[in-house]
Amino acid sequence: MIVMRSVSIIGVGTTNFGILEGMTIKKLASSACNRAILDAKLDRGNIQAFFLGNYIGGILEGQETLAPIVACEIGLQKNVACTKVEGACCSAGIALRQGYLLIASGVYDFVLVGGVEKMSGASTAKNTEALAAGMDKDMEGYTGLTFPGYFGLVANRHMYEYGTTIEQIGMVSVKNRKNAVKNPRARFRKEVTLEEVLHSRLVTDPLKLFDCCPIADGAAAAVLCPTEMARSFSDKPIEILGSGHGLGHSTSYAMEGPSCTATVFAAKEAFQMAKIQPSDVDVAEIHDCFTIAEIVDSEDIGFFERGKGGPAVEEGLTQVNGRIPINTSGGLLSKGHPVGATGLGQVYEIVRQLRGEHENQVQNAEIGLAMNLGASGLVSTVTILRGVH
Amino acid sequence: MIVMRSVSIIGVGTTNFGILEGMTIKKLASSACNRAILDAKLDRGNIQAFFLGNYIGGILEGQETLAPIVACEIGLQKNVACTKVEGACCSAGIALRQGYLLIASGVYDFVLVGGVEKMSGASTAKNTEALAAGMDKDMEGYTGLTFPGYFGLVANRHMYEYGTTIEQIGMVSVKNRKNAVKNPRARFRKEVTLEEVLHSRLVTDPLKLFDCCPIADGAAAAVLCPTEMARSFSDKPIEILGSGHGLGHSTSYAMEGPSCTATVFAAKEAFQMAKIQPSDVDVAEIHDCFTIAEIVDSEDIGFFERGKGGPAVEEGLTQVNGRIPINTSGGLLSKGHPVGATGLGQVYEIVRQLRGEHENQVQNAEIGLAMNLGASGLVSTVTILRGVH
């Protein structure tokens, strides 16, 4: 792969994540996109392509073809190529990557990328069924396995292989809920204690209710352009240093232990492109759809050695003032997980960190990382960002 | 937009289009992809990215995240970026375009693109509802308007504006069904007379049953690489001369007469890139989801002046031996319309024409065009191909 020019984020926008009554999926996406365009101070007539990530808008809302519908709503030009991209929880991460690659390679100068999900109109049962659309229906999906079940299996295996404790896993929830208290974009802003996590209702052994992220409505967006043009639009453009997109396994029986191959490959690609090491990252938003996922992610990315992700949480290394602050936003566990929006929701948080504007600001944060994991470890996206001070 | 190097199709594959019992959506896509890879004589370990078009697999089959699931099934490498793209009937056309742009700009060398839909497992009512997911739910979708209704409106307006006759519209069906007799990939291979079309059951005035394409299961795929490498894999590589992707209107009330703005823009982009005129095209597969659509498309692309599309059909200009042979495959009206697969199904037919291997071979066909229209004229893709003789 050859990448020819540097790309930067010149604007970001997001809705709050939560139960947003009266907001349709189109309105959510349009709102975030309009905010990103406003933040970029860009005349929208300059936008040449639009990629919108969405996962289950078809199943839950009966709405597909969202990219051109939103484009009409926000008034993009008729020569703008509008594409919905889908890769489960990586949908928005993929949207960002498409925009990045097509600017880096010189095809476009200005690309709008977004992500959206509307979930609160459906019951918990319907949401669980819809979310399971990322399972291979010919294989594990056929058995009725859903994602809470899958991550329960991963947690048990991680505990078996490495001696990770249920307390270490629960501490991810305690940390992230604490971070969310200051974040107005989060659905849950109330702290929980380890005791509360451990004694909350069992969902799928060993995961309890507070080990699981809540659903949410939400959207997030960003405007990208070549770095050489970025200063004309933003005082604090954020450079995209690297982008990775990996493939994993479509069934858990194919996995080699409690690790997601897709993340390993996506991280490797992103770090090679960025020419940095995991230890160079100052702040990260990584996929904590379940507490155990954050621990596995942190090992797959290379922040910690295999099996050391649990102790790292216990030792406070991932707290806001720790060695590698993870999910200073509160993560999916607190913000909620509007699936198709989550990837750019993370990027929104990282951009605020690298601009020095975050509610839980990491001092002197220069390099940030956002990472999503989709389906049964089937797909992963990693984006590495750098603030310019 | 700058495009740096020429891209060619070195392999194509398709399933038959029809009621394919026992074939899941994953198996359909995998089958077409495997055939395309085999046709390209490419070691699949070389594939660097995979774009898969699909429209309503979530709603009808409860299956999303199809790109990485199919990638696992066909054994792609773990560093392969796998993305589902969606743009209603343009889904596969968009998949092709993503692959094209990323090779043309130097990001990748080998990209697999595919499209798939599985429709026969659902009732007609469920299919109609699912297909309407491309309607803007906040606007016309809310009124209950579906695509047969939308194209009935377009037909009435075209007749009102230009004096197009119901006989001219019906002749599109007669022509396409005749072309399909020799095409083993088509769902319907029996001729119909104009009398049969005109007296078939009314669907949405003035469109009758034989004015409407049938649903189908099906998948199609292609392998792309830089033209400079293409001869190592194929004796008859097919060069992609141009690619357009346009945006239209999300509601019919915004339309300016019976024309689809998205197609006008997509065609303009593709022809500019290809540096040719519509009159240079030797054979075309264009979106005949309804008979009237083919007439409107033929005017929007520029094959005929506005209002002359109806008379052109009557004069035989679009027959296999006519001035611009359209839908020599039988089109969607005969092949069936597995929505997410259709765009690459068309490309499969054009590639056979440009290789000189088609069942309804157009003599000396060198330049071919494939064109899709999605939703209420909301999105369009145009691809221009050239055979090397």
Side-chain angles (χ1 to χ4, degrees):
Chain A
M1 181 185 293
I2 53 165
V3 174
M4 285 153 287
R5 56 179 179 173
S6 169
V7 177
S8 285
I9 296 173
I10 54 171
V12 288
T14 188
T15 65
N16 288 342
F17 286 7
I19 308 301
L20 306 178
E21 282 183 40
M23 289 288 279
T24 63
I25 192 166
K26 181 179 84 169
K27 286 183 183 169
L28 286 165
S30 301
S31 173
C33 289
N34 278 329
R35 290 174 189 188
I37 295 168
L38 193 67
D39 189 47
K41 302 183 190 73
L42 177 73
D43 178 338
R44 66 192 65 206
N46 292 318
I47 293 168
Q48 297 162 293
F50 174 38
F51 291 92
L52 180 64
N54 175 249
Y55 178 31
I56 45 176
I59 300 175
L60 294 183
E61 295 289 309
Q63 184 70 74
E64 290 288 357
T65 327
L66 259 172
I69 286 173
V70 170
C72 287
E73 179 75 5
I74 64 175
L76 300 187
Q77 299 289 318
K78 296 305 181 194
N79 58 354
V80 174
C82 303
T83 301
K84 169 183 151 176
V85 293
E86 187 273 324
C89 311
C90 297
S91 298
I94 291 173
L96 177 65
R97 179 178 162 91
Q98 296 308 309
Y100 165 70
L101 290 178
L102 290 169
I103 295 174
S105 62
V107 175
Y108 299 121
D109 286 333
F110 296 97
V111 179
L112 174 65
V113 298
V116 65
E117 209 75 63
K118 174 75 182 177
M119 307 177 81
S120 69
S123 66
T124 301
K126 180 66 183 174
N127 267 303
T128 305
E129 182 193 341
L131 289 163
M135 289 273 174
D136 182 339
K137 295 282 166 185
D138 294 4
M139 305 290 285
E140 276 180 348
Y142 192 70
T143 68
L145 183 65
T146 59
F147 291 114
Y150 168 80
F151 281 99
L153 293 172
V154 171
N156 275 313
R157 190 71 191 186
H158 205 276
M159 294 166 78
Y160 172 83
E161 293 280 352
Y162 304 118
T164 306
T165 67
I166 193 67
E167 288 79 13
Q168 291 166 345
I169 294 172
M171 285 173 194
V172 172
S173 184
V174 175
K175 167 180 69 74
N176 291 358
R177 290 290 290 265
K178 181 181 174 191
N179 289 345
V181 171
K182 291 189 193 170
N183 186 348
R185 299 170 293 284
R187 178 172 174 190
F188 293 151
R189 300 179 62 190
K190 186 168 169 290
E191 287 194 57
V192 293
T193 65
L194 184 57
E195 282 302 298
E196 284 173 312
V197 176
L198 296 177
H199 294 100
S200 59
R201 180 161 59 81
L202 187 67
V203 176
T204 55
D205 182 65
L207 302 176
K208 318 289 191 309
L209 186 65
F210 290 163
D211 289 299
C212 310
C213 72
I215 64 140
D217 308 326
V223 179
L224 317 181
C225 81
T227 298
E228 63 195 20
M229 303 182 187
R231 283 278 180 193
S232 308
F233 300 95
S234 174
D235 294 336
K236 294 179 178 176
I238 304 299
E239 186 182 5
I240 301 176
L241 284 188
S243 162
H245 183 177
L247 175 65
H249 301 285
S250 60
T251 53
S252 53
Y253 73 76
M255 290 173 68
E256 295 147 23
S259 160
C260 292
T261 307
T263 310
V264 173
F265 275 86
K268 188 178 169 192
E269 183 184 4
F271 280 115
Q272 281 182 346
M273 203 183 289
K275 299 188 180 70
I276 63 166
Q277 304 294 322
S279 57
D280 296 322
V281 175
D282 299 312
V283 59
E285 292 279 320
I286 69 178
H287 207 80
D288 60 329
C289 50
F290 299 88
T291 44
I292 183 64
E294 181 177 306
I295 291 173
V296 173
D297 298 343
S298 70
E299 298 172 1
D300 286 339
I301 292 169
F303 289 143
F304 306 110
E305 284 177 38
R306 190 70 57 202
K308 302 294 185 193
V313 178
E314 189 168 5
E315 293 162 22
L317 303 184
T318 59
Q319 292 182 6
V320 173
N321 60 358
R323 198 184 89 203
I324 169 64
I326 288 177
N327 292 327
T328 63
S329 69
L332 285 55
L333 287 166
S334 312
K335 286 185 73 180
H337 184 17
V339 183
T342 286
L344 280 159
Q346 294 176 330
V347 166
Y348 182 92
E349 303 289 340
I350 293 292
V351 165
R352 284 183 72 99
Q353 282 283 1
L354 301 182
R355 285 177 177 174
E357 300 169 354
H358 201 273
E359 291 82 356
N360 288 309
Q361 185 62 45
V362 173
Q363 293 309 308
N364 303 314
E366 184 187 343
I367 306 281
L369 179 147
M371 172 260 153
N372 293 112
L373 178 65
S376 314
L378 178 61
V379 53
S380 177
T381 46
V382 172
T383 310
I384 300 174
L385 302 170
R386 178 168 64 192
V388 181
H389 294 290
Chain B
M1 180 185 291
I2 53 164
V3 174
M4 285 154 284
R5 56 179 180 172
S6 168
V7 178
S8 287
I9 296 173
I10 54 171
V12 288
T14 188
T15 65
N16 288 341
F17 285 7
I19 308 301
L20 306 178
E21 283 183 38
M23 288 288 278
T24 63
I25 192 166
K26 180 178 86 168
K27 285 184 183 170
L28 285 167
S30 301
S31 174
C33 289
N34 278 328
R35 289 175 191 189
I37 295 168
L38 193 65
D39 188 46
K41 302 183 190 74
L42 176 72
D43 178 336
R44 67 192 63 206
N46 292 317
I47 293 169
Q48 295 162 293
F50 174 38
F51 291 93
L52 180 64
N54 176 248
Y55 179 32
I56 45 175
I59 299 175
L60 294 182
E61 297 289 310
Q63 182 71 74
E64 290 289 357
T65 327
L66 259 172
I69 287 173
V70 170
C72 287
E73 178 76 6
I74 65 175
L76 300 187
Q77 299 288 320
K78 295 305 180 195
N79 57 355
V80 174
C82 301
T83 301
K84 170 182 152 176
V85 293
E86 188 273 324
C89 310
C90 297
S91 298
I94 291 173
L96 176 65
R97 179 178 162 91
Q98 297 309 311
Y100 165 70
L101 290 177
L102 290 168
I103 295 174
S105 61
V107 175
Y108 298 120
D109 286 332
F110 296 97
V111 178
L112 174 65
V113 297
V116 66
E117 209 74 66
K118 173 76 181 179
M119 307 177 81
S120 69
S123 66
T124 301
K126 180 67 183 172
N127 268 301
T128 304
E129 182 194 340
L131 289 164
M135 289 276 174
D136 181 339
K137 295 282 166 185
D138 293 5
M139 304 289 285
E140 277 181 350
Y142 192 69
T143 69
L145 184 65
T146 59
F147 292 113
Y150 167 81
F151 281 99
L153 294 172
V154 172
N156 276 313
R157 191 72 191 185
H158 206 276
M159 294 167 77
Y160 173 82
E161 293 280 353
Y162 305 118
T164 306
T165 67
I166 193 66
E167 289 79 12
Q168 289 166 348
I169 293 173
M171 285 174 194
V172 172
S173 185
V174 175
K175 167 180 71 73
N176 290 359
R177 290 290 290 265
K178 181 181 174 191
N179 288 346
V181 172
K182 290 189 191 169
N183 187 346
R185 297 171 293 284
R187 178 171 174 192
F188 292 151
R189 300 180 61 191
K190 186 168 168 289
E191 287 193 56
V192 292
T193 65
L194 183 57
E195 282 301 299
E196 285 173 314
V197 176
L198 296 178
H199 294 101
S200 60
R201 181 161 59 79
L202 187 68
V203 174
T204 56
D205 182 64
L207 302 175
K208 319 289 191 309
L209 185 65
F210 289 164
D211 288 299
C212 310
C213 73
I215 63 141
D217 308 327
V223 179
L224 315 181
C225 82
T227 298
E228 64 196 19
M229 301 181 188
R231 284 278 179 192
S232 308
F233 299 95
S234 172
D235 294 336
K236 294 178 179 178
I238 304 298
E239 187 181 4
I240 301 176
L241 284 188
S243 163
H245 183 177
L247 175 65
H249 301 285
S250 60
T251 53
S252 52
Y253 74 74
M255 290 173 68
E256 297 148 22
S259 160
C260 292
T261 307
T263 309
V264 173
F265 276 85
K268 188 178 169 191
E269 183 183 4
F271 280 116
Q272 280 181 346
M273 202 183 291
K275 299 188 181 70
I276 62 166
Q277 305 295 321
S279 58
D280 295 323
V281 175
D282 299 312
V283 60
E285 293 278 319
I286 70 178
H287 206 80
D288 60 330
C289 49
F290 298 90
T291 44
I292 184 63
E294 182 177 307
I295 290 173
V296 174
D297 298 342
S298 70
E299 298 173 1
D300 286 339
I301 292 168
F303 289 143
F304 306 110
E305 284 177 37
R306 188 72 55 204
K308 302 294 185 192
V313 178
E314 189 169 5
E315 293 163 21
L317 303 183
T318 59
Q319 292 182 6
V320 174
N321 59 359
R323 198 184 89 201
I324 170 65
I326 289 177
N327 292 327
T328 62
S329 70
L332 285 55
L333 287 166
S334 312
K335 287 185 73 179
H337 184 19
V339 181
T342 286
L344 280 160
Q346 293 176 331
V347 167
Y348 182 93
E349 302 289 339
I350 293 292
V351 164
R352 284 183 73 99
Q353 282 284 2
L354 302 182
R355 285 177 176 174
E357 299 169 353
H358 201 272
E359 290 82 357
N360 287 310
Q361 184 64 44
V362 172
Q363 293 308 307
N364 303 314
E366 185 186 342
I367 307 280
L369 179 148
M371 172 260 154
N372 292 113
L373 178 65
S376 315
L378 179 62
V379 53
S380 176
T381 45
V382 172
T383 310
I384 300 174
L385 302 171
R386 177 167 66 192
V388 181
H389 294 292

